[in-house]
Amino acid sequence: MFTSVLMIEKALTSADVEFVTTLHGEEQVSFQVLLQPRGEQADRLLRAIDDVALGELDEAVREGETPEGEEALSVGQRALEVSLAALRASGSEAGGRLIEDHPLDALKSLVEQVGADEVIVLTDPHYVEEFFHRDWASRARHKVGVPVLKLFSHSKA
């Protein structure tokens, strides 16, 4: 069985689930999901700049409404549960957990623990961080010792 560690920041959409579960054709895949709620991972200014770069001015204005702290964890837990249920409904094995601090340390540890074959980072575009190679995928490539695939979410959850 092929083991993928999937790093996400929000609930997977049905299009995301279909995309990641069909990447390896008919091969059975087991997913270990790490979810860090969006309010925990980047400062508000960088998120607003990303929204402006994407032409989503309404989203940039609403960045102050993004849940943070305990509220982000509650939203994150629900997003994780929805995502795991969707992966399992597609026929894949799936387990996962929320991460609050040091996502790359948690990723490296999980990759080693489960003997992962790959890491998939599935997020909205983060242009500022990607430009400076500070996004999860760019940083993970130097840390985890397995292939890292960067994918963009298909639509908003």
Side-chain angles (χ1 to χ4, degrees):
M1 179 173 296
F2 199 84
T3 303
S4 293
V5 174
L6 181 60
M7 285 191 73
I8 59 176
E9 61 189 0
K10 64 182 184 181
L12 296 173
T13 65
S14 58
D16 293 334
V17 170
E18 182 179 354
F19 192 42
V20 299
T21 58
T22 59
L23 283 173
H24 299 288
E26 298 298 316
E27 188 169 2
Q28 188 68 18
V29 179
S30 171
F31 291 96
Q32 289 296 314
V33 180
L34 291 177
L35 185 143
Q36 184 178 39
R38 187 167 187 210
E40 294 292 313
Q41 74 183 341
D43 77 42
R44 195 172 290 157
L45 176 61
L46 287 178
R47 294 191 318 253
I49 291 170
D50 285 337
D51 291 334
V52 170
L54 289 168
E56 297 175 351
L57 299 179
D58 291 342
E59 290 297 318
V61 171
R62 285 197 290 269
E63 276 303 332
E65 300 169 12
T66 299
E68 296 190 9
E70 289 299 318
E71 186 181 353
L73 293 177
S74 175
V75 169
Q77 185 62 44
R78 288 191 305 273
L80 179 62
E81 291 166 3
V82 165
S83 298
L84 293 176
L87 289 167
R88 291 175 186 139
S90 75
S92 297
E93 290 183 15
R97 65 184 175 96
L98 284 180
I99 48 176
E100 297 178 49
D101 298 317
H102 311 292
L104 294 175
D105 292 340
L107 174 64
K108 183 177 193 265
S109 175
L110 183 60
V111 165
E112 292 170 355
Q113 178 185 349
V114 300
D117 298 297
E118 71 179 356
V119 169
I120 300 171
V121 176
L122 180 70
T123 64
D124 288 334
H126 298 294
Y127 293 119
V128 174
E129 291 155 328
E130 289 166 20
F131 179 79
F132 291 107
H133 302 286
R134 301 303 302 154
D135 60 299
W136 285 343
S138 296
R139 292 169 39 209
R141 286 186 179 105
H142 303 288
K143 191 164 188 132
V144 297
V146 297
V148 177
L149 180 60
K150 169 67 176 160
L151 301 174
F152 293 122
S153 298
H154 280 77
S155 60
K156 298 203 177 280

